[in-house]
Amino acid sequence: MSKRYFINNLDSPLGQEFYSQLVKEDTEEGVHMATYKIDDPNKMPPKGFKKILKRYKPKLSRKKMLEECDVYVYDVASATQQDLDFVCDIFRNSKTTLEEQKVLILVSTVLTWSAMPDKVKPKVEKKLEEEQEGEQQEQQEQQQKKEEAEENQEPKEDENQEQEQEQEQQQIQQQPINEVPEVIEYVPWEESDYKLRSASAQYSQLKEWEDMVLSLQKDNLKVIVVCAGLIYGKGELLFQKYFKKAWLQQPYKLSYQPDGNNKVPTVHITDLVKMIIKVSESIPESNYIFAVDNTQDRTQKAIIQGIATGVGSGWIEQNDDFFKDFTPEEMDCFRLHLDCKTSQMFIGNEETPSDFEWHCEKGIAFNAKKILQEFTSIHKLRPIKILMESKAENMRFQDILTMISDHYRIPVINQEQIFKDAQDPNYVFPSEIQEDFNELWPAIQEYINNQTPAQLSEQLKIYYKVIKWRLSQNDCQNRGFILQNFPNFFEEADFIFYPNKQKLKMKKKPKKKPVVLEEENKQPQEPAVDENGDPIEQEQPEEQQQEEQQQEEVQEEEQQEEEQQEEEQEGGPKPEDFFPESYIVIKPLGKTDNFDYNRKLINFFSERNLDAYFIDPRKKTNHDTFEDLRIYIERNGRPYNYLQNEQELIIQYFNLQRIKDLTIKYTRKQSIQIWKDITKVKKDKRQGLVTKYTTYIQEQEQELQQVKQFPFRNYLMEFVVPVLNEGLVEVAHILPDDPVEFLAEYLYKRSFNVDNE
């Protein structure tokens, strides 16, 4: 790279990518210059840059730029009117003389074409059509003369026929001819059409900046406007919200604008910087360059479908609620309709092929996986893959499972749900597995119900392939998963988390024999021929088929041995991408501490540097258990993954502790108050009994005092003697065996009625 560059606003996204491209060359001393959006005198120039110019020193900046830079790059997305006025004034100044070739590049946007309709294919000139019609008429007249000369030699009998034919032709010519409507053809806009471009009102200033820069004319100065498509890549600028929603699958379906048929030019930011460098190194004749990728299908719907397929769930729809958090500028970008042609500098043609090295030539849809890797690496996103095992199924285990799933936004996957989805006809399932799965499902179901290890068979091959397919989907690959109580045996873990391609290869089904009748056997065999007369390949005999199958099996065994040798040389087989990074065993919530571990499975993962983490939640709350598991899961670092930051988690933890303390304090106060209320009730009850007994005693004492006040003789004559006389009378009448006892019982019974009497 022989040019010395000046980058306006090096801290912008385009400036950062420019910096990463420029520093690839090992240079001992910096040769480039730049500015920052905000001047900071304490900032040192980065690697490869000689000086950071300050805006508050315009004279020094002007001198350094002219003397020590060859290419000046300004981006309309980060530049201001003052920046462009400054650089234009430098080259407009009559005192400024350029001894060397200088290049001023303005990186613009396709939004300056936002008001342009589709380009109609120009019609062929009428003069050429008239000349061709005149030549055809002359040829027809000459042919007619020859025919007339030949007809004169024929007998007169044919004259009547000729007259009738002429009359018929005249009648046909007199009939009205239906005019065929002209077919309008559209073609892409080219760089040479830049003078015709028009922008909508909100982007008219950008077009004025382009015109201002293009109006510069000076010796040894080349002005180029690089019209960039909508930029994507390296963490995403415009498409960041789309990639975030697709990565989280919230919502499950991505949405597109009204019909999605508008054509949206795009370009990867790495390709854009390469294009700018290419333009500056080999200066083109044109002053206007289209910097867009070579996508075959530029429609908005195809782009969104590519993001959904490569990153999200694969589903799209038209939903206006999807765009609630989009800005008006972002909405304008997705509504843009511009069909433009990629510059020949970057794609070339058959005569002059281009040497341009593309990063994403085919656009977003074709390179979705590559763009996703950039997106995840820049935003520090990584999948969280967990195995969780608990022998006792209870509500508390499900609550802990749900808390982890909701916090990390990862799906909970269990055996039953995988095969339930596989049977759903509306579920997207690989066609190459679907047929075998439908055929072998009863045997697979029997294996699942038995819950005992079995030798590898055809149904188990499909069983493992279905699980591998589910774990390789975008939601598991991007965010991770929680495998609930699965796998059950170390054999299952080996086949699921390691490739084992040869072992899981299905046996080829024998071809069905065609039914041949005896009569057909007697007839001589002729080569079969299709409609066009080409011979049809006939089926091979059984012996030949068996030989071919044996050869294929031998080749597969040899290939398997070679793979095993390679794995041994590399230190063992490499696991799948979805190999778990955390293995959690939750003890059951019973009273006993003894329970059976799955020791074979634990040893399997332990040999592969994944030790099980045992946790006893009996003496802990759900939140405390979750915090312990979160610390274990994040032992190698906490991913970004659009999660709550640690400060929010700390605040949440303290709030929960505060609520817990207040609850305990409130519960203690409440219990004390309840105890006081109960004590008060008991006390009141006792006081009531005391009052009742006291009143009774007082009444008895008063009666006793009244009795004591009467003379005893009067008391006997008034209350005792009459009753005693009645008793004696009864004794005289009845004459009991024991008169004394009879009299005593009589007096006792009458004593209850004394008060009433």
Side-chain angles (χ1 to χ4, degrees):
M1 194 176 295
S2 58
K3 300 287 186 180
R4 298 170 298 175
Y5 287 86
F6 168 79
I7 311 299
N8 186 57
N9 295 332
L10 187 64
D11 50 350
S12 66
L14 185 66
Q16 289 296 307
E17 181 61 23
F18 226 111
Y19 170 74
S20 64
Q21 293 288 334
L22 293 178
V23 298
K24 286 181 179 179
E25 293 187 355
D26 295 331
T27 54
E28 296 180 357
E29 297 181 359
V31 294
H32 310 295
M33 294 187 181
T35 60
Y36 287 125
K37 292 180 181 178
I38 299 175
D39 291 337
D40 187 358
N42 298 324
K43 271 191 176 181
M44 298 299 293
K47 178 184 176 182
F49 281 76
K50 184 177 182 180
K51 191 173 182 61
I52 299 296
L53 302 179
K54 309 296 188 295
R55 288 184 173 85
Y56 59 83
K57 296 180 180 179
K59 292 184 179 180
L60 179 62
S61 299
R62 183 183 311 220
K63 181 180 178 183
K64 292 288 185 182
M65 287 172 64
L66 286 173
E67 292 178 356
E68 302 182 22
C69 295
D70 302 321
V71 182
Y72 310 89
V73 181
Y74 282 78
D75 178 20
V76 296
S78 61
T80 62
Q81 184 71 50
Q82 295 177 352
D83 294 338
L84 296 175
D85 289 340
F86 176 75
V87 70
C88 289
D89 290 342
I90 292 176
F91 294 111
R92 282 201 190 103
N93 191 349
S94 58
K95 296 181 181 180
T96 303
T97 56
L98 304 177
E99 298 178 356
E100 299 178 354
Q101 179 71 45
K102 305 290 184 181
V103 181
L104 174 60
I105 298 176
L106 179 68
V107 183
S108 185
T109 173
V110 288
L111 292 173
T112 57
W113 296 66
S114 55
M116 292 296 290
D118 287 331
K119 182 180 179 181
V120 180
K121 185 177 181 180
K123 298 179 181 179
V124 182
E125 295 182 0
K126 293 183 178 180
K127 292 182 179 180
L128 297 174
E129 294 180 355
E130 291 177 357
E131 291 177 358
Q132 291 177 359
E133 290 178 357
E135 292 177 358
Q136 290 178 359
Q137 288 179 359
E138 290 178 359
Q139 292 177 0
Q140 289 178 359
E141 289 177 358
Q142 291 177 0
Q143 289 179 358
Q144 288 179 0
K145 289 179 181 180
K146 290 179 181 179
E147 290 176 358
E148 290 177 358
E150 292 176 354
E151 289 173 356
N152 291 331
Q153 296 176 1
E154 294 178 357
K156 294 181 179 180
E157 294 178 357
D158 297 336
E159 292 180 359
N160 296 329
Q161 295 178 357
E162 292 176 358
Q163 291 177 359
E164 292 177 357
Q165 290 177 357
E166 290 177 358
Q167 291 177 359
E168 290 177 357
Q169 289 178 358
Q170 290 177 0
Q171 290 177 359
I172 292 169
Q173 291 176 358
Q174 289 176 0
Q175 291 179 358
I177 300 172
N178 295 328
E179 295 182 358
V180 179
E182 295 182 0
V183 178
I184 300 175
E185 295 183 10
Y186 298 101
V187 293
W189 290 101
E190 298 180 359
E191 299 166 352
S192 57
D193 301 322
Y194 75 93
K195 293 182 180 179
L196 303 174
R197 73 195 188 286
S198 64
S200 54
Q202 59 267 39
Y203 302 108
S204 58
Q205 185 181 13
L206 301 181
K207 182 178 178 297
E208 291 175 1
W209 287 356
E210 289 183 356
D211 294 334
M212 180 178 68
V213 173
L214 289 170
S215 63
L216 293 175
Q217 293 182 358
K218 199 174 190 65
D219 294 338
N220 290 333
L221 176 64
K222 180 65 175 180
V223 177
I224 302 172
V225 174
V226 177
C227 185
L230 303 184
I231 300 174
Y232 62 89
K234 293 298 178 71
E236 301 310 310
L237 302 174
L238 178 62
F239 292 91
Q240 181 177 2
K241 292 177 181 177
Y242 263 111
F243 272 81
K244 178 182 176 181
K245 291 175 184 290
W247 192 86
L248 293 172
Q249 293 190 10
Q250 295 177 356
Y252 187 71
K253 296 181 180 180
L254 298 183
S255 182
Y256 51 87
Q257 286 292 321
D259 58 355
N261 294 325
N262 56 309
K263 294 185 177 181
V264 183
T266 55
V267 65
H268 194 282
I269 191 168
T270 302
D271 288 326
L272 176 59
V273 172
K274 288 183 177 181
M275 291 174 179
I276 296 170
I277 296 173
K278 172 77 172 176
V279 168
S280 63
E281 295 289 337
S282 54
I283 301 173
E285 296 180 0
S286 176
N287 292 336
Y288 204 94
I289 300 295
F290 272 136
V292 296
D293 52 30
N294 194 21
T295 309
Q296 295 181 355
D297 189 357
R298 298 185 186 277
T299 59
Q300 179 203 164
K301 194 172 183 179
I303 294 172
I304 304 306
Q305 182 64 64
I307 297 174
T309 304
V311 183
S313 64
W315 295 94
I316 62 173
E317 63 178 355
Q318 204 283 320
N319 184 8
D320 294 335
D321 294 336
F322 181 86
F323 300 96
K324 286 182 178 179
D325 56 342
F326 282 67
T327 62
E329 292 77 11
E330 291 172 339
M331 298 293 287
D332 292 339
C333 292
F334 293 121
R335 291 195 187 104
L336 174 68
H337 175 65
L338 177 65
D339 187 11
C340 60
K341 187 182 292 186
T342 309
S343 178
Q344 292 295 325
M345 283 188 68
F346 313 124
I347 58 174
N349 50 37
E350 295 180 356
E351 297 179 357
T352 57
S354 176
D355 58 350
F356 184 75
E357 295 181 359
W358 285 90
H359 181 69
C360 290
E361 181 180 4
K362 300 299 182 181
I364 296 176
F366 188 81
N367 299 284
K369 292 295 183 183
K370 182 188 292 186
I371 301 167
L372 176 62
Q373 291 177 358
E374 298 173 353
F375 182 76
T376 53
S377 63
I378 289 176
H379 291 284
K380 298 179 181 179
L381 308 175
R382 64 178 176 84
I384 299 172
K385 298 161 286 188
I386 306 171
L387 296 184
M388 284 192 70
E389 180 184 344
S390 178
K391 295 294 182 182
E393 291 291 338
N394 50 58
M395 291 300 296
R396 193 168 174 196
F397 172 67
Q398 293 296 330
D399 293 341
I400 297 170
L401 199 69
T402 304
M403 290 175 70
I404 296 174
S405 173
D406 294 342
H407 178 73
Y408 291 108
R409 296 188 177 96
I410 53 180
V412 178
I413 298 175
N414 52 47
Q415 207 174 17
E416 292 77 11
Q417 188 62 39
I418 292 175
F419 291 97
K420 185 179 178 181
D421 294 339
Q423 296 175 46
D424 188 356
N426 297 324
Y427 202 80
V428 180
F429 201 68
S431 57
E432 61 270 14
I433 304 177
Q434 185 71 57
E435 183 179 354
D436 294 331
F437 175 77
N438 294 334
E439 181 180 350
L440 300 172
W441 167 240
I444 295 173
Q445 192 173 16
E446 183 180 356
Y447 169 76
I448 295 172
N449 296 331
N450 289 338
Q451 294 185 353
T452 54
Q455 293 183 352
L456 186 64
S457 58
E458 295 299 304
Q459 58 265 26
L460 285 185
K461 290 179 181 178
I462 294 297
Y463 170 82
Y464 294 133
K465 284 184 177 181
V466 170
I467 296 171
K468 280 174 171 284
W469 170 83
R470 178 63 187 92
L471 296 178
S472 62
Q473 295 304 295
N474 286 336
D475 57 346
C476 296
Q477 289 290 310
N478 295 339
R479 304 194 307 276
F481 55 83
I482 300 176
L483 273 180
Q484 179 185 357
N485 291 330
F486 184 77
N488 299 312
F489 319 108
F490 74 93
E491 295 90 351
E492 292 181 343
D494 184 26
F495 282 111
I496 291 171
F497 297 119
Y498 284 86
N500 297 308
K501 292 181 181 179
Q502 295 297 328
K503 293 181 181 179
L504 296 179
K505 193 170 184 179
M506 299 293 291
K507 292 182 180 179
K508 292 187 177 181
K509 297 179 181 179
K511 296 181 179 179
K512 294 182 180 179
K513 299 179 183 179
V515 179
V516 181
L517 300 175
E518 294 180 358
E519 296 178 357
E520 293 179 356
N521 288 331
K522 295 178 182 178
Q523 294 177 358
Q525 295 182 354
E526 295 181 358
V529 178
D530 59 7
E531 297 177 355
N532 300 325
D534 298 328
I536 300 175
E537 294 182 0
Q538 297 181 353
E539 294 187 357
Q540 299 175 352
E542 292 183 8
E543 295 179 355
Q544 191 171 354
Q545 288 182 3
Q546 291 177 358
E547 290 179 359
E548 290 181 355
Q549 288 180 359
Q550 290 177 357
Q551 291 177 359
E552 290 178 358
E553 290 176 358
V554 171
Q555 291 177 358
E556 290 175 0
E557 290 177 357
E558 292 177 353
Q559 186 177 358
Q560 186 175 354
E561 290 177 358
E562 291 177 358
E563 290 179 357
Q564 289 178 354
Q565 291 177 359
E566 292 178 358
E567 290 175 355
E568 290 175 358
Q569 292 176 359
E570 294 175 358
K574 293 182 179 179
E576 298 279 9
D577 295 336
F578 44 80
F579 188 85
E581 59 183 19
S582 300
Y583 183 22
I584 300 170
V585 179
I586 298 180
K587 294 182 179 180
L589 302 178
K591 295 182 180 180
T592 59
D593 293 332
N594 298 323
F595 68 97
D596 295 331
Y597 296 103
N598 194 343
R599 298 190 180 279
K600 291 185 178 180
L601 190 63
I602 292 171
N603 293 335
F604 172 84
F605 286 109
S606 179
E607 291 172 358
R608 288 152 181 82
N609 300 323
L610 179 60
D611 295 327
Y613 180 73
F614 298 90
I615 186 168
D616 188 355
R618 288 178 293 179
K619 297 181 181 179
K620 300 179 181 179
T621 63
N622 286 353
H623 187 267
D624 292 338
T625 305
F626 164 73
E627 282 296 319
D628 290 347
L629 294 177
R630 185 182 68 82
I631 293 169
Y632 164 69
I633 293 168
E634 298 172 7
R635 63 194 182 279
N636 296 325
R638 180 175 173 82
Y640 176 66
N641 287 19
Y642 303 105
L643 305 176
Q644 289 179 308
N645 56 40
E646 292 186 355
Q647 292 181 352
E648 292 178 354
L649 289 173
I650 292 171
I651 293 170
Q652 183 179 358
Y653 177 75
F654 280 115
N655 289 336
L656 288 172
Q657 285 296 118
R658 186 179 178 186
I659 293 170
K660 183 179 178 181
D661 295 339
L662 291 173
T663 304
I664 294 171
K665 188 182 291 185
Y666 174 76
T667 305
R668 186 178 298 168
K669 287 183 179 180
Q670 192 176 17
S671 61
I672 293 171
Q673 185 65 34
I674 292 171
W675 179 80
K676 287 181 179 180
D677 294 340
I678 294 171
T679 306
K680 185 180 179 182
V681 171
K682 290 181 179 179
K683 187 177 180 180
D684 294 341
K685 188 176 180 180
R686 289 176 183 174
Q687 188 66 32
L689 291 172
V690 170
T691 305
K692 182 179 178 181
Y693 292 150
T694 304
T695 306
Y696 177 75
I697 292 170
Q698 289 176 356
E699 290 176 355
Q700 294 295 323
E701 289 179 350
Q702 289 177 0
E703 290 180 359
L704 183 60
Q705 290 295 331
Q706 291 176 0
V707 169
K708 288 181 178 180
Q709 291 177 0
F710 286 104
F712 187 67
R713 182 178 181 82
N714 294 337
Y715 175 77
L716 291 175
M717 292 302 294
E718 186 176 357
F719 295 105
V720 178
V721 173
V723 177
L724 183 61
N725 289 334
E726 291 177 1
L728 292 173
V729 171
E730 289 292 329
V731 169
H733 283 296
I734 296 172
L735 298 175
D737 295 336
D738 190 353
V740 177
E741 184 178 358
F742 179 80
L743 180 61
E745 289 181 358
Y746 179 80
L747 293 176
Y748 178 73
K749 291 179 181 178
R750 288 295 302 273
S751 67
F752 292 104
N753 298 327
V754 172
D755 294 337
N756 296 332
E757 293 176 359

